[in-house]
Amino acid sequence: TTSRDVTTTSRDVTTQNNVVEMSKKRGAEEADRMDTGDDEAKKVKSDENVEKTAEEKDSSPFQGLNMVLPTDSGVCCIPLIYTQDTSPFKINDIIEITGILERIEVDTTTCEMDEEESARFPPSSIVPRVHCVEVRLRTHINPLLSTDPLEFNLPTVSGVLSTALSVRSELITMLKKCVSGDPLAAEYLLLHLLSHVYGRKDEVMTLGKFAVNLTKCPPKETKFVECLSTLFSNICEKSFVFPLTITNFNISTMLPKKDYKANRLKSGLLQLPKGMQVILDETVLEPGQLKPNGVENLKSLGNLISWQNLAYDFGFSYNIEFECDAKVLILGEGKSLLPSEVVVPLKAMQDNIDYQEIISEIQSDRNLMDRFRRYLTVLRHIQYDQVSEEKQKKIEQDYVAERKSN
């Protein structure tokens, strides 16, 4: 339903309601039509309220949590590093901090602070300080494995590697359940889960990224997207589902932006840690018009997928690009406008699938999910032997020969 149709329906409904109050004579079909019109009108009003709320969300005196994702919850903190060299740490790196927590209760109603001070240094009762004793760079946040990247080369992961083939088979079986029994889609999803950026060449090529676009997905009423996202949230270290609606495109802030009034950088939706699993849900997309902010967000998503770079907006047409590493999976009925490495039309091998039952199975079998998490973390981060030049040449020859034959 277009915005224009919805507006017209809302006007008609208002007129019909007045007639009902005067005559009290309307049939069941007309009443159903009125209800439908009311629902559509309420949807438009709701969207307007959402946009208004998004514009006013930073009006509180202590707007300082600066969460990246709308689903984020928990305690933010300001780490204070005194002696350790912080030069190895880059934007979007994950760090582990050992330190002393400082939280002093302050009556915020009587606390007088200017906007810059309240944004950058909110009271420690709201944003605690951590006086760092040690700061370590983390390659992953899987609590089932060691946090030391050097131990990936030691026999500590031998148990995971020895069972890798059987765990892979179990994971493919679970992925097939979530994608209507399609074995090819399950294989592509596994490659997607194992992918990560391992190199950049001449600033024009990003090696290792593998965005997948699944098409012909079941409609949203089937809980297909919820089933797949539930699995990913249980086997990935970090995951996020973003419904690609017109409203979300128009009101979201995807790029980090410098707020010169508060003298701080406001986080954006795409300011994500390395290894983040992003699921873009296009099954909820409906006709509508993108505003300038929506067009910019669409462009930013495309750049993230294609180049694994994110431009931080410092105003005055001055942007700085920072490298990132996010796995992007696009789910929709047709081919997406967003780029991807491969488009996989879903071929359902089963009918009348109960996705809620699969969701319950995923949530109940913690041991199986833990095996998947160990498998994916180890295989994404383990150091593989370099392929010799002789083997590279043989692989190239075999590939060219296969291309000629088919």
Side-chain angles (χ1 to χ4, degrees):
T1 305
T2 64
S3 178
R4 182 180 301 173
D5 294 335
V6 171
T7 305
T8 304
T9 305
S10 177
R11 187 184 303 116
D12 293 343
V13 169
T14 304
T15 305
Q16 291 168 3
N17 282 338
N18 293 333
V19 175
V20 168
E21 290 296 325
M22 295 175 62
S23 64
K24 302 296 183 181
K25 294 179 181 180
R26 287 295 176 190
E29 294 181 359
E30 193 169 12
D32 290 341
R33 185 170 65 254
M34 288 166 53
D35 291 340
T36 304
D38 283 338
D39 290 342
E40 295 293 345
K42 289 177 181 176
K43 181 179 183 298
V44 173
K45 188 174 181 180
S46 175
D47 289 347
E48 292 175 352
N49 291 336
V50 168
E51 294 186 20
K52 185 176 180 181
T53 302
E55 293 173 356
E56 299 175 350
K57 64 180 180 179
D58 286 335
S59 60
S60 61
F62 295 108
Q63 44 170 341
L65 293 185
N66 210 17
M67 294 288 195
V68 173
L69 300 178
T71 55
D72 278 347
S73 61
V75 180
C76 293
C77 72
I78 297 178
L80 303 176
I81 304 175
Y82 298 99
T83 59
Q84 186 168 342
D85 181 17
T86 60
S87 57
F89 306 140
K90 300 178 182 178
I91 291 289
N92 299 329
D93 278 346
I94 301 173
I95 59 175
E96 179 183 44
I97 295 173
T98 303
I100 301 169
L101 180 68
E102 175 191 345
R103 173 180 283 173
I104 302 174
E105 295 298 328
V106 177
D107 185 0
T108 57
T109 59
T110 61
C111 184
E112 296 184 2
M113 304 173 70
D114 59 32
E115 185 172 352
E116 178 179 345
E117 189 178 5
S118 67
R120 298 187 64 193
F121 305 104
S124 61
S125 57
I126 298 176
V127 181
R129 281 27 169 198
V130 177
H131 301 272
C132 300
V133 176
E134 183 182 17
V135 183
R136 300 176 62 192
L137 186 65
R138 293 280 296 267
T139 57
H140 70 90
I141 57 170
N142 189 342
L144 303 174
L145 293 168
S146 169
T147 61
D148 189 345
L150 296 177
E151 293 190 15
F152 277 106
N153 295 324
L154 300 177
T156 53
V157 296
S158 59
V160 177
L161 296 178
S162 63
T163 59
L165 288 178
S166 61
V167 174
R168 182 190 189 280
S169 178
E170 290 178 315
L171 182 52
I172 287 292
T173 300
M174 180 58 71
L175 289 170
K176 284 169 60 178
K177 290 181 180 180
C178 295
V179 291
S180 307
D182 188 342
L184 181 62
E187 292 284 350
Y188 273 112
L189 284 180
L190 178 56
L191 294 177
H192 169 76
L193 288 168
L194 292 172
S195 66
H196 67 100
V197 176
Y198 63 83
R200 298 173 188 268
K201 188 174 182 181
D202 301 329
E203 298 183 356
V204 297
M205 184 179 295
T206 306
L207 306 176
K209 66 184 181 69
F210 191 66
V212 175
N213 180 195
L214 279 186
T215 62
K216 297 185 178 180
C217 295
K220 57 183 178 181
E221 295 81 9
T222 62
K223 292 191 174 183
F224 167 80
V225 175
E226 181 182 348
C227 178
L228 201 55
S229 63
T230 300
L231 175 62
F232 278 37
S233 66
N234 278 273
I235 64 178
C236 298
E237 298 170 19
K238 307 166 289 292
S239 67
F240 173 62
V241 181
F242 184 67
L244 289 185
T245 63
I246 296 297
T247 301
N248 282 344
F249 264 124
N250 288 335
I251 70 173
S252 297
T253 303
M254 293 194 177
L255 296 182
K257 186 175 182 178
K258 179 64 179 287
D259 181 358
Y260 285 96
K261 190 174 181 180
N263 194 23
R264 72 164 183 175
L265 188 70
K266 286 189 175 181
S267 60
L269 194 65
L270 298 182
Q271 187 181 345
L272 303 171
K274 290 184 178 180
M276 186 76 177
Q277 174 66 59
V278 180
I279 300 177
L280 302 179
D281 180 12
E282 289 190 355
T283 63
V284 297
L285 187 62
E286 296 178 350
Q289 183 176 3
L290 286 178
K291 297 180 180 179
N293 185 62
V295 175
E296 285 299 316
N297 285 335
L298 181 64
K299 181 181 177 181
S300 299
L301 269 175
N303 288 337
L304 172 71
I305 296 172
S306 297
W307 307 107
Q308 291 294 313
N309 282 331
L310 187 63
Y312 285 51
D313 183 4
F314 287 88
F316 312 107
S317 301
Y318 178 65
N319 293 344
I320 299 179
E321 289 192 343
F322 289 93
E323 297 177 354
C324 52
D325 181 5
K327 303 190 296 291
V328 181
L329 173 64
I330 309 169
L331 306 176
E333 297 178 7
K335 183 179 178 181
S336 176
L337 291 174
L338 295 167
S340 61
E341 269 64 54
V342 62
V343 179
V344 184
L346 203 61
K347 186 176 181 180
M349 309 298 289
Q350 304 171 11
D351 297 324
N352 302 321
I353 299 175
D354 186 353
Y355 288 105
Q356 183 58 52
E357 183 179 342
I358 301 175
I359 292 173
S360 300
E361 179 184 350
I362 293 170
Q363 294 174 337
S364 61
D365 197 342
R366 298 305 312 166
N367 290 331
L368 181 62
M369 297 301 112
D370 287 347
R371 289 202 296 274
F372 293 163
R373 293 184 71 186
R374 293 190 188 95
Y375 169 83
L376 292 174
T377 302
V378 169
L379 267 66
R380 285 186 73 245
H381 293 283
I382 197 170
Q383 297 295 319
Y384 293 95
D385 294 333
Q386 294 292 326
V387 180
S388 65
E389 292 186 6
E390 183 180 352
K391 289 182 179 180
Q392 289 182 26
K393 188 175 181 179
K394 181 66 169 62
I395 292 172
E396 181 181 352
Q397 292 173 348
D398 290 347
Y399 179 77
V400 172
E402 289 294 331
R403 293 280 292 181
K404 286 183 179 179
S405 64
N406 185 7

